[in-house]
Amino acid sequence: MRTSSLGVGSKDRRREEKRGMATSLSTPKLGTTLTFQTLSLCKKFPNFPSYQFRTLDVGVFLSSGRWSHSFLRCRPISTTTPRAESTNGAGSEPDRNYDFDLFTIGAGSGGVRASRFAANFGASVAVCELPFSTVSSDITGGVGGTCVLRGCVPKKLLVYASKYSHEFEESCSFGWNYETEPKHDWSTLIANKNAELQRLNGIYKNILKNAGVQLIEGRGKVVDPHTVNVNGKLYSAKNILISVGGRPFIPDIPGSEFAIDSDAALDLPSKPTKIAIVGGGYIAVEFAGIFNGLSSEVHVFIRQKKVLRGFDEEIRDFVGEQMALRGIEFHSEESPQAVEKSSDGTFSLKTNKGTVDGFSHIMFATGRKPNTRNLGLEDVGVKLTKNGAIEVDEYSRSSVPSIWAVGDATDRVNLTPVALMEGGALAKTLFANEPTRPDYRAIPSAVFSQPPIGQVGLTEEQAIKEYGDVDIFTANFRPLKATLSGLPDRVFMKLIVCAKTDIVLGLHMCGDDAPEIVQGFAVAVKSGLAKSDFDATVGIHPTTAEELVTMRTPTRKVRRSVPEGKTDSEIKAAAGV
Amino acid sequence: MASLGRKMLIDGEVENSNEGDVHYDFDLFVIGAGSGGVRAARFSAQSGAKVGICELPFHPISSEVVGGVGGTCVIRGCVPKKILVYGAAFGPELEDARNYGWELNERIDFNWKKLLHKKTEEIVRLNGIYKRLLSNAGVKLFEGEGRVVGPNEVEVTQLDGTKIIYSAKHILIATGSRAQRPAISGQELAITSDEALSLEELPKRAVILGGGYIAVEFASIWRGMGATVDLCFRKELPLRGFDDEMRAVVARNLEGRGIHMHPQTTLTELVKTEEGIKVRTDHGEELIADVVLFATGRAPNTKRLNLEAVGVELDKIGAIKVDEYSRTNIPSIWAIGDVTNRVNLTPVALMEGTCVAKTVFGGQPTKPDYVHIPCAVFCIPPLSVVGLTEEQAIEQANGELLVFTSSFNPMKNTISGRQEKTIMKLVVEAETDKVLGASMCGPDAPEIMQGIAIALKCGATKAQFDSTVGIHPSAAEEFVTMRSVTRRVDAAGKPRTNL
C-alpha cells in the first residue's frame, strides 16, 4: 500500500517536529513556570498567567508549523493523500486561489481542534460560529460548542454541586455536625457556572486567535463545494469542514412546548421543586442525579425496563438500583403522550400508563439530532442519513470531496474526545500529508450519574456475540467509605475476558470515581492486554481500583458449547461454574 | 517442594532420620496474622496444607504483647489511616461547597470522638472478618505470642501464660514491623502512628517529626480536622525516594493547605509545660504542641522471636534476610512482609504470601515480582506513582529521556476557587518510546494510577497512551493527552532545563 511508505516519512517528520518543539521549549520564558503542554481545553487550565501560555502555544506550533508548511509545498496534498487523488476538487485545481485552505463551520470541540491543528500545520484557516448563548438555537451557539457551553463542562459543574448533599450525609458519620441543614442557593451556582463558561468561551477564542485561525461570527451556509456564506459575505475555501454538532430533540407530542431540554435545564432561572425527566439515556440519568442531589423531587420516565440502553446489562441494573436508593423515582416502560399545564401553573405528564402531576418542570432527554438543517448541504450534494447526519467515509470526508465533517454532526460516536480525535485526524490528513483514520476501537466513556459509570471495550452481550467463549469476573462490594457512613452505596465492577486468548475485552464499573479509575485501564484494554497482565500488577492499597487487579475467580464462564441462540437466563445459569 | 521439606529435616535438628515417617502437627505454622501471614496461611490451606497461625490479642496500639488478626494494615495502618483521611478531607470539601451555592454555618463542628468510635467499630469488624477468613479456609488460629524454638518448632505462649509447642514442616514469620522512636530528650512525651490513630482528644496543635508518607498523611489528617500543624523533616523536601518534582508539589500543596513546613529541621528536646509540650528544634525554634508525633520510620518485629538462637540471619536493622523465594538461611523457615523490610506495602506482603504458598504447597516455585509496584501517599491531595522517578530513570536508562508534565487547575477548582494545581508526569525512554514512570499529585491520584500501573507493568509505550481516547471531563484523561514534551534529558545525565 502506498500509505506504508508515507508512514515512514511521516514518522521521521514527527520526530523532527518534536525536536522543533523541544527547541522552542528551552527558551528562557519557560523558566518561570513548571510545565507546559498543549491542552485539551474543555476541562482545566493552567493557573499560570495566560499570556505566557499563549506565547508558548504559538511558539511551539509556529516552529513546527512553519516546517510542515514548507514540507507541504514540496509535496502537494492532492498527490499524497491517497483518497484525495482523483476526487479532490481542490487538488485538481492547483492554481485556483482560495481565501482559505480550510473553512470550518462550527467552533465546538471538533471544529476548534481541526482548525487549530490545521493552522499549526501551516494552513490558512477560518472558522465561523454563532453568537454566544447558553441555550442553542438556529441563531445562537458560541465558541466552545456543546461540550463547553451546554454539555460536559456545565453538566459536570452541576454534578460537583449536587454531589455535596451526599457528601454532607456521609460526613456526619465521619464526625462532622451541621447546626443547621445545609441549604442550596441555585442562583449562586448558576451565576458562578456562567462566569466560568464565559471565561472558557474567551479562552477558546484566544486559542483560535493564537493559532492564527480567523474567527467569523455568524451563521455559515455552504453555497458550493468551495464557498461558504456567512451573513451574506462569501468566503472561498479549498476545503470546508462541517462541525456543527447536534442539538436536543423533543418529540412532537401535545404540550411538548412546555417541556425543557438539557440546554435549558443547565441554565434554569430557578431550581425545580419537582421534575419529570423523560428518557433513559446518559443525559437523563445525569440530570436525575443533579436535581436529586440539589433536593428536587425527581421522576424519571423510561420507555424500556432499564436505563442506559446499550450499556452492559448488569451496569444498567446496578446504576438503576443505586439511583433509586438515593431517592430517584423510576417509571419504567412508560412513554410520554402529552404534557398538560394546570391552573396552578404546574405540569402533568400523561403516559401510556397514567398521569403524574404537580411538576414544576418537565425535561425531555430524548436524544439529540445533528444540526444539519439549513446549511445548504443537500443543495451542494452532501449526502445525509435519515437522521440528518452527514455521511462520511473513514477519513471524515463527505460525498462532496472538498467537504468534510467531524463530531456530532456525523453521528458516529458522539463524545468530545472522539470529535477531538476526528478533528486531529482530519488536520493531519489534509495538511500534514499523513492520511489518518480515527480509531474507534476501545473508546472509553463515562456517565456522570450518581454514582458514576466508567466503561471501555465490549459489553458482556457484545463480547458473547463476537467471541462466544468469555469469562466474566465481577465484584459487587461496599466501599470503605460506605461501611463508615452507613449509606447503602456500593461499587460494581466487571471484567470481560476472552476465554481463548485471555485478552480483556471489556471493563465496566459503577461507583465513586469510576470515570477517573477507568482511564488508566482504558490504556490497558486499548493495548490488548490480558487478564494475566492485570493479575501481575500489584494493587494500590487501599483503593477501589485495586479490586480490578485482584479478581481471581470468574463469576461465570460463558461457553458457546451451549446451543446457538442461548438466552440471558441460560447465561446466568452458568454463574458459579 | 516436598523434597525441600525433607532436606531441611536432614539439615535441621529433628531427630527422626526416617524422613517419610516424620510427623508434624502442621505443614505450615505462621507467626503473625497480618496481611502477608493471613494470605500465605489461607492460600496454603487451600492447596491442601494443614496450617496453624498465631497472633497476639487484639489492640489498636501494638506492643510486644498485643497486636490482633489483621495486622498493621487493618488495625494500625492503611485502613484506619484512610478512614481518618476521609474524615479530614471533608473539612476542605465543605469550604469548597460554598461557591457551589451551598449555605453552611461559618464554623462546622467536628466531633473527633465520633469518628474515632466509628473507626474502632470498623477495625473490630474487619478483625472479625479476617478471623472468619482463616477459619473458613481451615486454618487453625492460636491467640498468643509465637516464638521459634527449632527449625520446625514454634512455641506459643497463650494468654494465661501456658506454653505449647507445635511442630511444623515449615515456619513462616510474618510479624511485620512497629513504629520507632528517635532518642531525643523527652521522647516519652511523643507518640507514634499507633497512638495517633487512637487519640482520646483531637490535638489543636500538632508537631510532626518525619518526612515520610506517615508524616505527611498525619499532617493532612490533622490539618483537615482544623489543627495547627508543624511538620519538621531532615531533608529539603518531604518524601525522600519519590520523584523530586512531585516531592516539591506535595510540599507546596501541604503548605498551601496551611501546614507549617520546617525543612532541614530536627527536634532536639521535648519538655512538658503547663501550656503543652514544648518542642525545641535544632534551629533553636520553640513550638508548643498538644501532640508530638514521631513518624521517623519503622523497625521489623524480630526481637522476641528467638530467631538468632535458631540461626536465622538478620540484617543490621533486624530484618530477616531471605532469598528470592522468601526463604531464610534455615530452609524450613520463611519470612514475608515488613519483617523482611523489602518493599513495605500491604499488596506486596500479599504477593509474597501468595508466592510462598505456591512455592511450598502449590508445586510452583514463584518469585515475587518487584518491578513497577505502584503506590500511593494519602496526603491531601494524594500522590500516587508507578515505575521510575525521573532521577532513577536518568540513572538507569541508556538513551535520551522525554519528560512529559502537565500542571492544571482541576475543573472543580474553577468554581470552588481553591488554588491548587494537579500535576502529572510521564517519563519516557526516547529510543523505545516506553513509559518508564508515571506520577500524579492531585485528587483521586491513587484511583487513577492503578490502571496506568497495568500499562507500565506491560511495557506500554507513549504511543499506546496517546492512542487511547480520553474520558471527558476527567482529570485522568490528561495522562493520554500529553502531546508536547516538557523537557528532554540527555543520556549521560543532566536535565537540559532545571524546571
Side-chain angles (χ1 to χ4, degrees):
Chain A
M1 302 259 306
R2 306 184 47 167
T3 39
S4 61
S5 64
L6 262 178
V8 174
S10 56
K11 207 181 251 168
D12 289 340
R13 198 184 52 70
R14 260 205 306 273
R15 210 164 283 156
E16 278 305 318
E17 255 182 54
K18 278 190 177 166
R19 291 225 173 95
M21 290 179 196
T23 315
S24 75
L25 275 167
S26 35
T27 55
K29 308 192 256 303
L30 281 175
T32 55
T33 58
L34 190 63
T35 56
F36 294 91
Q37 78 153 112
T38 342
L39 298 174
S40 64
L41 272 141
C42 261
K43 186 176 37 143
K44 55 238 154 171
F45 302 90
N47 264 347
F48 48 76
S50 49
Y51 74 88
Q52 275 183 347
F53 163 64
R54 276 182 234 141
T55 321
L56 182 83
D57 198 29
V58 172
V60 168
F61 285 104
L62 278 184
S63 63
S64 57
R66 219 180 289 131
W67 194 87
S68 310
H69 197 58
S70 56
F71 184 83
L72 282 171
R73 285 281 148 82
C74 22
R75 300 180 71 180
I77 306 157
S78 54
T79 59
T80 51
T81 307
R83 306 193 43 90
E85 227 170 347
S86 54
T87 47
N88 190 339
S92 61
E93 300 172 77
D95 294 328
R96 183 171 164 188
N97 262 330
Y98 295 104
D99 297 336
F100 298 101
D101 295 323
L102 176 69
F103 195 103
T104 304
I105 304 180
S109 305
V112 169
R113 170 60 61 95
S115 301
R116 274 175 64 210
F117 278 30
N120 292 334
F121 289 133
S124 73
V125 184
V127 61
C128 71
E129 175 59 65
L130 299 169
F132 175 90
S133 169
T134 52
V135 176
S136 65
S137 73
D138 267 4
I139 50 163
T140 54
V143 173
T146 306
C147 169
V148 175
L149 306 178
R150 284 170 297 275
C152 320
V153 173
K155 172 266 298 283
K156 189 143 188 215
L157 292 175
L158 297 199
V159 168
Y160 279 131
S162 60
K163 260 172 66 177
Y164 279 111
S165 56
H166 194 69
E167 285 172 38
F168 299 144
E169 242 184 294
E170 284 174 323
S171 70
C172 292
S173 290
F174 285 88
W176 296 88
N177 299 322
Y178 305 87
E179 241 168 71
T180 49
E181 185 94 343
K183 267 203 330 228
H184 188 258
D185 180 52
W186 177 260
S187 55
T188 303
L189 170 62
I190 295 303
N192 287 347
K193 182 227 26 163
N194 284 341
E196 174 61 13
L197 298 194
Q198 293 280 7
R199 192 180 73 89
L200 294 178
N201 176 255
I203 287 179
Y204 260 72
K205 285 186 181 168
N206 277 329
I207 284 178
L208 288 171
K209 193 169 141 199
N210 294 334
V213 175
Q214 189 180 332
L215 173 63
I216 300 162
E217 195 170 75
R219 190 164 203 289
K221 216 174 152 174
V222 179
V223 179
D224 69 42
H226 294 285
T227 311
V228 177
N229 177 336
V230 185
N231 298 345
K233 214 172 157 196
L234 296 181
Y235 301 90
S236 67
K238 199 163 174 183
N239 294 284
I240 296 172
L241 170 63
I242 317 285
S243 49
V244 289
R247 266 219 306 282
F249 163 77
I250 296 183
D252 191 17
I253 59 167
S256 63
E257 68 275 15
F258 298 125
I260 58 168
D261 59 20
S262 58
D263 283 9
L266 285 167
D267 205 31
L268 290 173
S270 63
K271 191 183 72 180
T273 50
K274 179 176 173 182
I275 185 168
I277 298 176
V278 179
Y282 77 96
I283 297 174
V285 297
E286 288 178 343
F287 276 93
I290 288 169
F291 290 121
N292 184 56
L294 296 173
S295 64
S296 304
E297 185 182 335
V298 179
H299 294 253
V300 179
F301 294 83
I302 43 180
R303 248 197 326 217
Q304 305 214 330
K305 270 200 181 125
K306 311 177 193 175
V307 292
L308 294 175
R309 188 159 59 98
F311 282 73
D312 187 275
E313 291 297 324
E314 276 184 291
I315 289 282
R316 296 177 70 187
D317 288 328
F318 183 85
V319 74
E321 279 163 30
Q322 285 284 308
M323 288 175 69
L325 282 170
R326 294 193 187 192
I328 292 163
E329 193 166 325
F330 286 101
H331 303 260
S332 58
E333 298 181 291
E334 283 199 47
S335 303
Q337 291 180 338
V339 177
E340 275 154 25
K341 189 170 184 175
S342 47
S343 51
D344 64 354
T346 64
F347 300 100
S348 58
L349 181 70
K350 188 169 171 284
T351 74
N352 55 322
K353 282 192 179 169
T355 300
V356 185
D357 45 30
F359 292 113
S360 64
H361 295 77
I362 294 191
M363 174 183 170
F364 274 63
T366 40
R368 297 174 62 85
K369 284 213 165 139
N371 279 333
T372 47
R373 263 198 262 162
N374 303 324
L375 283 178
L377 293 172
E378 300 91 330
D379 300 340
V380 293
V382 172
K383 272 194 209 153
L384 304 181
T385 66
K386 265 184 291 177
N387 195 29
I390 298 169
E391 277 185 29
V392 289
D393 69 9
E394 288 176 301
Y395 294 89
S396 301
R397 176 179 241 161
S398 79
S399 54
V400 175
S402 61
I403 300 182
W404 311 73
V406 297
D408 291 6
T410 62
D411 197 21
R412 285 175 282 183
V413 179
N414 299 334
L415 294 169
T416 292
V418 173
L420 296 175
M421 171 171 70
E422 290 167 353
L426 180 65
K428 277 190 191 164
T429 300
L430 286 177
F431 303 109
N433 198 31
E434 215 184 307
T436 307
R437 280 179 283 207
D439 178 356
Y440 295 92
R441 285 171 305 141
I443 293 171
S445 69
V447 179
F448 290 91
S449 45
Q450 298 175 42
I453 297 167
Q455 60 153 25
V456 58
L458 304 181
T459 65
E460 181 174 344
E461 297 72 32
Q462 290 168 337
I464 290 171
K465 211 166 160 195
E466 214 166 300
Y467 292 89
D469 295 356
V470 294
D471 293 347
I472 310 294
F473 296 77
T474 61
N476 183 333
F477 61 93
R478 221 173 161 196
L480 180 59
K481 204 174 194 175
T483 58
L484 262 278
S485 71
L487 297 174
D489 302 348
R490 298 188 71 85
V491 174
F492 177 77
M493 287 173 172
K494 182 170 190 172
L495 284 182
I496 298 152
V497 179
C498 179
K500 203 170 133 202
T501 60
D502 196 39
I503 286 171
V504 177
L505 303 172
L507 183 153
H508 306 264
M509 169 179 176
C510 180
D512 268 356
D513 302 328
E516 299 290 355
I517 290 172
V518 169
Q519 183 71 72
F521 288 94
V523 179
V525 172
K526 178 77 200 262
S527 307
L529 297 186
K531 177 65 167 62
S532 60
D533 295 321
F534 279 54
D535 297 343
T537 304
V538 173
I540 298 177
H541 189 70
T543 60
T544 298
E546 69 180 314
E547 204 70 26
L548 284 165
V549 298
T550 54
M551 294 173 133
R552 311 236 169 261
T553 350
T555 310
R556 57 184 170 275
K557 295 180 172 185
V558 184
R559 292 293 177 265
R560 192 163 256 168
S561 48
V562 181
E564 286 286 304
K566 76 185 144 292
T567 61
D568 265 7
S569 59
E570 278 170 309
I571 295 161
K572 281 197 179 113
V577 166
Chain B
M1 284 304 98
S3 64
L4 279 179
R6 285 189 200 110
K7 184 172 175 292
M8 301 171 229
L9 304 183
I10 299 164
D11 296 343
E13 288 166 57
V14 177
E15 297 162 59
N16 197 337
S17 59
N18 188 350
E19 301 165 25
D21 288 339
V22 176
H23 176 264
Y24 296 106
D25 299 329
F26 293 100
D27 296 319
L28 175 70
F29 198 98
V30 182
I31 305 180
S35 306
V38 170
R39 169 60 64 91
R42 281 175 55 213
F43 279 30
S44 299
Q46 280 161 12
S47 301
K50 189 178 174 200
V51 183
I53 189 169
C54 71
E55 175 59 62
L56 299 169
F58 177 87
H59 197 280
I61 298 168
S62 65
S63 74
E64 305 287 5
V65 291
V66 287
V69 174
T72 305
C73 169
V74 173
I75 303 173
R76 285 169 297 274
C78 321
V79 174
K81 171 265 299 277
K82 184 125 190 230
I83 290 173
L84 297 195
V85 170
Y86 277 137
F90 285 114
E93 272 293 300
L94 300 180
E95 287 311 311
D96 290 355
R98 297 180 199 273
N99 278 343
Y100 278 96
W102 288 97
E103 291 163 0
L104 305 166
N105 292 344
E106 190 74 17
R107 276 196 63 87
I108 298 152
D109 193 38
F110 173 68
N111 183 338
W112 164 255
K113 285 201 168 124
K114 183 170 177 183
L115 178 57
L116 189 70
H117 173 72
K118 284 272 191 179
K119 180 220 79 176
T120 306
E121 251 179 23
E122 175 63 9
I123 62 174
V124 167
R125 189 181 75 88
L126 292 174
N127 173 256
I129 288 181
Y130 265 72
K131 284 185 181 167
R132 230 173 308 138
L133 274 178
L134 288 170
S135 72
N136 289 345
V139 175
K140 180 100 177 84
L141 171 65
F142 301 93
E143 200 166 62
E145 187 182 357
R147 210 167 149 254
V148 181
V149 291
N152 297 94
E153 279 172 290
V154 175
E155 176 192 86
V156 179
T157 307
Q158 294 176 291
L159 300 190
D160 61 6
T162 55
K163 295 177 184 196
I164 305 178
I165 292 180
Y166 298 100
S167 64
K169 201 161 169 182
H170 301 276
I171 295 171
L172 174 65
I173 317 283
T175 48
S177 62
R178 265 215 313 285
Q180 259 188 324
R181 292 159 167 279
I184 292 171
S185 155
Q187 59 93 3
E188 68 285 352
L189 298 171
I191 59 169
T192 69
S193 56
D194 280 13
E195 293 87 5
L197 289 165
S198 293
L199 286 175
E200 285 296 315
E201 299 287 339
L202 178 68
K204 284 199 174 62
R205 301 158 299 178
V207 171
I208 300 172
L209 175 63
Y213 76 96
I214 298 175
V216 298
E217 287 176 346
F218 276 99
S220 289
I221 288 170
W222 284 330
R223 183 66 201 133
M225 294 172 181
T228 306
V229 179
D230 286 272
L231 182 62
C232 305
F233 46 96
R234 256 199 317 222
K235 300 277 169 182
E236 216 167 301
L237 291 169
L239 296 175
R240 188 160 59 96
F242 283 83
D243 187 284
D244 282 346
E245 190 174 359
M246 303 313 284
R247 294 170 68 192
V249 171
V250 170
R252 201 168 62 211
N253 289 346
L254 294 181
E255 202 160 29
R257 296 213 177 212
I259 293 161
H260 305 300
M261 305 291 276
H262 303 265
Q264 296 176 303
T265 301
T266 189
L267 305 186
T268 52
E269 187 189 34
L270 310 184
V271 183
K272 196 171 182 174
T273 70
E274 291 270 295
E275 319 138 82
I277 304 167
K278 192 161 81 186
V279 180
R280 202 183 313 260
T281 74
D282 58 350
H283 297 305
E285 230 178 324
E286 274 183 9
L287 304 162
I288 299 287
D290 305 308
V291 159
V292 177
L293 170 69
F294 287 158
T296 44
R298 299 174 64 85
N301 280 331
T302 47
K303 270 187 202 143
R304 285 158 59 115
L305 290 170
N306 198 36
L307 292 171
E308 295 92 330
V310 221
V312 173
E313 276 178 34
L314 305 180
D315 72 7
K316 265 182 290 179
I317 70 150
I320 298 175
K321 284 194 195 172
V322 289
D323 69 10
E324 285 178 304
Y325 293 93
S326 301
R327 180 176 236 160
T328 71
N329 60 310
I330 306 288
S332 60
I333 301 181
W334 309 70
I336 56 169
D338 289 7
V339 78
T340 61
N341 195 32
R342 284 175 283 181
V343 179
N344 299 334
L345 293 170
T346 292
V348 172
L350 296 175
M351 170 171 70
E352 290 166 353
T354 306
C355 291
V356 165
K358 275 192 189 165
T359 302
V360 182
F361 302 105
Q364 224 183 315
T366 310
K367 291 183 224 181
D369 177 358
Y370 296 92
V371 178
H372 285 343
I373 294 169
C375 73
V377 180
F378 289 91
C379 43
I380 302 175
L383 168 70
S384 193
V385 302
V386 59
L388 303 182
T389 65
E390 184 174 340
E391 295 74 32
Q392 287 168 334
I394 290 170
E395 217 164 86
Q396 293 177 24
N398 295 319
E400 193 182 28
L401 293 176
L402 309 177
V403 180
F404 296 80
T405 61
S406 172
S407 165
F408 60 89
N409 197 22
M411 193 199 270
K412 194 172 183 181
N413 294 0
T414 60
I415 284 196
S416 71
R418 178 169 294 283
Q419 297 295 311
E420 188 174 79
K421 283 194 256 177
T422 289
I423 315 282
M424 289 177 175
K425 178 167 182 172
L426 290 177
V427 179
V428 178
E429 190 171 52
E431 199 191 335
T432 58
D433 197 39
K434 246 192 184 177
V435 180
L436 303 177
S439 25
M440 168 177 178
C441 182
D444 302 325
E447 299 289 355
I448 290 170
M449 201 56 68
Q450 184 71 74
I452 304 285
I454 303 180
L456 258 76
K457 178 87 186 170
C458 300
T461 59
K462 179 65 169 54
Q464 282 174 313
F465 274 68
D466 295 344
S467 80
T468 306
V469 173
I471 294 182
H472 188 69
S474 67
E477 69 180 311
E478 203 65 25
F479 267 127
V480 299
T481 54
M482 295 171 131
R483 297 202 195 285
S484 0
V485 70
T486 307
R487 58 182 170 271
R488 288 160 178 267
V489 185
D490 279 339
K494 287 183 181 156
R496 265 188 219 165
T497 53
N498 55 346
L499 293 177

